[in-house]
Amino acid sequence: MDLKFLDEAPTTAEREAVDSVLGPPESGWDGGTRQDTDLRYARGGHTARDQRDMLLPALHAVNDRVGWISRGALDHICRRLTVPPAEAYAVASFYAMFAMHERPRRVVHLCTDIACAAAGSSGLRDRMVERLGPPGSTEGGTTWHESPCLGMCERAPAALALQAGDPARYAVAAPAGPDDLDALAESASADGPVAPSEGNGHRPAVRTTYGADPLPGTAPEADAASAVPDAGSPDHVLLRRIGRVDPLSLDDYRAEGGYAALREALRLGPAGVLREVNDSGLVGRGGAAFPTGRKWSATAQQPDAPHYLVCNADESEPGTFKDRVLMEGDPFSLVEAMTIAGYAIGAQTGYLYIRGEYPRALRHLENALALARERDLLGTDIMGSGFSFDIEIRRGAGAYICGEETAIFGSIEGQRGEPRSKPPFPVEKGLFGKPTAVNNVETLVNVLPVLLMGGPAYAAVGTEKSTGPKLFCLSGGVRRPGLYEMPFGATLRDLVEAAGGMPEGRSIRAILLGGAAGTFVRGDELDIPLTFEGAREAGTSLGSGVVLVLDDTADLASTLVRVAAFFRDESCGQCVPCRVGTVRQEESLLRLRAGASPAQELPLLREVGQAMRDASICGLGQTAWNAVESAIDRLGLFSEDTHQTAAPGDRPATEEAR
């Protein structure tokens, strides 16, 4: 049947943006100028439909160039890809970073998530309301939004400014103070300079610019080493190059041992690589802790072809920033590791799905891919081995759910990023319905020392069930927040002491392990071993490595409300337990914070939490109750003797939730 298009013309800028991604249209059938021959026959339908996975890049191109996606731009994209407008609108409206209504070219995202909230982002929020009006206001040529975690928790609070144009421009302030926000709101204009700032605390403000052209007058980009307090430590394995090499130089990377692991992989052959990875005991670092060797072996054994590799770099868990540091400071290591993984599982194409709020990491990775291709380290006949493999980048657009291993497939394919029921599992039917291995950045980068050390030697590091080194994202009230590398088996106390402990006069009230989907532990439980098995025995979990320390001044009730609001916003809405449960959970917490009786509210809250855990399709709904449950049962929050109510002068609960 014929598709019903919108019959609205794109502007010249919108057309150029789409065509820069998809190439110029060949005929009137794919959005070009109608020729006489176009009246006689249709052509290109199958070819266009095979490009459905270019929908997300095309939407990004328009949003980056113009600042929003008009009906005319959407219609042009739909004609180019032969996608029904209703489906394209459903995809575009799924992502928080896309605007479907006209707005200013300049957008400021202020992080108000748990790490930034603990660092005082509420005062910055008030400043933005005073200066620009409520979130979403379009007065004065700038709009702003309260944002979930921006992945800069080690220097919270953080803000990100985006300026649409050709090219699009970006600027970051972290840690941000009131003057920094004023500067960001101005700096995103083409002629608005950003003056240096002294910051708002014990660390100087780090303001960075991204894109093809830096904003005039801005400070030099911050080195990824600024996120690693002990950068240069001889004990580092995964972080050993951070701060020592130029992340944009392939020669620097190779001088520090780069591509030695790939040469070893080509010497061993795919079966040998699988053997070493299995022998290493390496498990996934994204939270599920599934054995990497088993996943790769299962994918490699599938008779269906082609096979695909997906790197999940959509690092959106509040409190997590380890993958950002690796991609910004050592991007070639990820490219090399993905090449090895593709070789092991028999894939010729890998997709690197990176979150949209990481423009600097994106730029570094694009540079790394281009240089690797120039040196025959990526593409056809890599290192003369006869093995061909290439990597495509897909940029997310602000949807936490796309970090789920099946939702990421839908996003890459040009569908809504909604989780899929399992089985079938990704190793059987994953991306484009083909066998697929999905790993996050930290997991893949661990493959390099596995091959260089040998599987058994790698397994000797850490503990029997948790092998190798682990990255921990430490934020909150400690003296030196940042990214720390430790072997599995270190304790929470070791980690906190490595960060200099607590400032004088402060004590630990609680520690959140695993981010918003994790659990709280008390300040007197610092001897919990940081291993998967040790965390399970202690009734908690490591998750992706988030360690958020809350001191004795923290408002735990407000922290829980923010966690609940995060899950409510990020639920894809596909299943009722999560779609409804996250809303009911937040409502109950708001009532408790306002002074409702725990005896009345807690039974309902537990029932909602258990329903989400038991019946939700994916991990978002299944873990949305974890932090709340642990705060009630482990920390005693909302018990009769510790019940907190809203303090005088607090904003109304509904406003806080937004």
Side-chain angles (χ1 to χ4, degrees):
M1 59 179 286
D2 291 338
L3 297 180
K4 175 64 175 177
F5 291 115
L6 302 175
D7 293 324
E8 294 197 23
T11 65
T12 300
E14 291 168 341
R15 185 183 297 274
E16 290 176 351
V18 174
D19 294 352
S20 69
V21 174
L22 302 180
E26 295 182 359
S27 74
W29 289 103
D30 60 350
T33 303
R34 181 159 296 203
Q35 309 293 331
D36 289 342
T37 55
D38 292 338
L39 302 177
R40 300 189 182 97
Y41 63 93
R43 58 178 176 172
H46 289 292
T47 302
R49 284 189 291 273
D50 287 342
Q51 295 186 85
R52 175 68 183 255
D53 65 297
M54 295 302 294
L55 177 58
L56 190 57
L59 293 170
H60 266 300
V62 173
N63 200 69
D64 287 347
R65 179 75 64 91
V66 183
W68 67 292
I69 301 168
S70 69
R71 287 169 60 91
L74 192 68
D75 184 79
H76 185 59
I77 294 171
C78 292
R79 290 179 184 276
R80 294 299 316 274
L81 298 177
T82 318
V83 174
E87 291 186 18
Y89 181 86
V91 172
S93 60
F94 185 80
Y95 298 97
M97 295 184 73
F98 294 150
M100 306 306 295
H101 301 282
E102 188 171 5
R103 67 178 181 184
R105 287 177 177 265
R106 190 184 319 157
V107 183
V108 177
H109 298 264
L110 173 64
C111 179
T112 57
D113 223 315
I114 50 178
C116 286
S121 64
S122 60
L124 300 180
R125 181 195 183 280
D126 294 339
R127 173 74 171 209
M128 293 298 282
V129 171
E130 177 185 347
R131 191 181 191 283
L132 298 176
S137 299
T138 58
E139 308 244 340
T142 301
T143 188
W144 75 284
H145 300 284
E146 293 184 69
S147 172
C149 182
L150 293 172
M152 290 174 279
C153 318
E154 82 281 7
R155 50 184 198 260
L160 168 69
L162 308 177
Q163 171 82 13
D166 185 17
R169 295 178 175 182
Y170 310 84
V172 169
D179 292 342
D180 299 310
L181 290 185
D182 291 345
L184 270 191
E186 298 297 333
S187 72
S189 65
D191 55 357
V194 177
S197 168
E198 295 302 321
N200 68 333
H202 61 279
R203 301 182 302 279
V206 179
R207 184 176 291 117
T208 358
T209 60
Y210 312 102
D213 297 320
L215 295 175
T218 54
E221 295 185 3
D223 195 303
S226 64
V228 184
D230 59 344
S233 168
D235 296 329
H236 284 172
V237 176
L238 306 178
L239 301 179
R240 67 186 182 88
R241 279 182 287 263
I242 303 292
R244 296 180 56 186
V245 302
D246 178 358
L248 299 178
S249 171
L250 178 55
D251 291 333
D252 275 15
Y253 178 70
R254 299 192 74 169
E256 289 289 332
Y259 281 98
L262 178 57
R263 285 195 295 272
E264 178 65 12
L266 296 175
R267 185 188 70 81
L268 291 171
V273 173
L274 293 174
R275 182 182 64 251
E276 296 294 342
V277 175
N278 275 299
D279 289 347
S280 72
L282 174 64
V283 298
R285 302 301 203 241
F290 190 84
T292 304
R294 283 176 55 190
K295 179 184 292 188
W296 287 13
S297 297
T299 307
Q301 292 168 5
Q302 295 298 317
D304 196 9
H307 296 177
Y308 290 104
L309 171 72
V310 173
C311 172
N312 185 349
D314 191 56
E315 182 182 49
S316 304
E317 184 69 45
T320 312
F321 50 91
K322 57 187 175 63
D323 291 350
R324 171 185 64 81
V325 174
L326 288 171
M327 290 186 289
E328 288 183 357
D330 197 13
F332 292 100
S333 67
L334 179 57
V335 175
E336 181 183 6
M338 288 187 67
T339 307
I340 293 170
Y343 180 64
I345 67 172
Q348 292 190 339
T349 304
Y351 287 86
L352 199 166
Y353 189 93
I354 185 172
R355 68 176 299 193
E357 296 88 346
Y358 282 177
R360 185 186 184 197
L362 173 66
R363 189 180 69 176
H364 286 196
L365 286 166
E366 287 177 336
N367 173 77
L369 293 179
L371 292 179
R373 292 187 187 109
E374 287 180 7
R375 303 283 188 88
D376 295 326
L377 298 171
L378 200 62
T380 304
D381 193 22
I382 294 173
M383 288 185 168
S385 65
F387 167 58
S388 298
F389 179 79
D390 211 339
I391 297 171
E392 294 187 30
I393 292 179
R394 289 291 185 271
R395 183 162 43 128
Y400 169 78
I401 190 62
C402 289
E404 198 273 340
E405 69 172 356
T406 59
I408 202 172
F409 300 151
S411 186
I412 293 173
E413 293 168 4
Q415 310 288 342
R416 288 168 63 90
E418 296 176 340
R420 303 173 182 178
S421 297
K422 294 180 284 190
F425 294 96
V427 298
E428 301 165 314
K429 290 188 179 297
L431 185 64
F432 305 121
K434 300 298 182 179
T436 306
V438 186
N439 296 109
N440 76 346
V441 174
E442 185 187 357
T443 306
L444 286 165
V445 171
N446 266 275
V447 172
L448 305 182
V450 166
L451 291 183
L452 293 176
M453 298 168 62
Y458 180 94
V461 178
T463 66
E464 181 180 355
K465 296 182 180 179
S466 298
T467 63
K470 178 74 182 78
L471 299 180
F472 295 98
C473 306
L474 184 59
S475 59
V478 294
R479 293 180 185 271
R480 295 191 300 274
L483 184 63
Y484 288 85
E485 178 181 327
M486 290 186 167
F488 276 114
T491 65
L492 263 178
R493 187 182 308 279
D494 296 331
L495 182 59
V496 172
E497 289 178 353
M502 304 294 290
E504 186 176 353
R506 292 283 179 256
S507 61
I508 299 176
R509 182 173 188 186
I511 297 177
L512 179 61
L513 291 179
T519 54
F520 284 100
V521 298
R522 299 186 306 274
D524 60 358
E525 297 182 284
L526 296 183
D527 292 322
I528 293 176
L530 296 175
T531 62
F532 293 114
E533 66 275 14
R536 281 193 296 269
E537 290 173 4
T540 183
S541 65
L542 288 187
S544 58
V546 174
V547 181
L548 172 63
V549 179
L550 300 175
D551 64 22
D552 48 1
T553 66
D555 183 348
L556 290 181
S558 293
T559 299
L560 283 190
V561 169
R562 184 63 185 90
V563 168
F566 172 80
F567 284 116
R568 177 210 63 202
D569 288 340
E570 298 297 338
S571 172
C572 73
Q574 183 181 190
C575 66
V576 172
C578 181
R579 182 177 70 242
V580 177
T582 52
V583 175
R584 297 293 172 258
Q585 175 174 262
E586 183 195 17
E587 291 172 346
S588 183
L589 288 170
L590 287 169
R591 290 193 294 268
L592 281 166
R593 195 183 66 167
S597 168
Q600 294 180 350
E601 285 294 333
L602 291 184
L604 173 62
L605 191 56
R606 291 183 187 278
E607 185 176 351
V608 169
Q610 196 61 49
M612 288 193 293
R613 178 175 292 168
D614 291 344
S616 295
I617 289 177
C618 78
L620 189 151
Q622 293 164 9
T623 60
W625 160 241
N626 286 359
V628 179
E629 180 184 38
S630 63
I632 294 170
D633 294 341
R634 201 159 195 151
L635 305 181
L637 189 65
F638 301 128
S639 63
E640 293 295 343
D641 56 340
T642 62
H643 182 43
Q644 299 184 15
T645 58
D650 278 359
R651 291 189 298 275
T654 52
E655 181 64 25
E656 173 72 14
R658 287 198 292 270

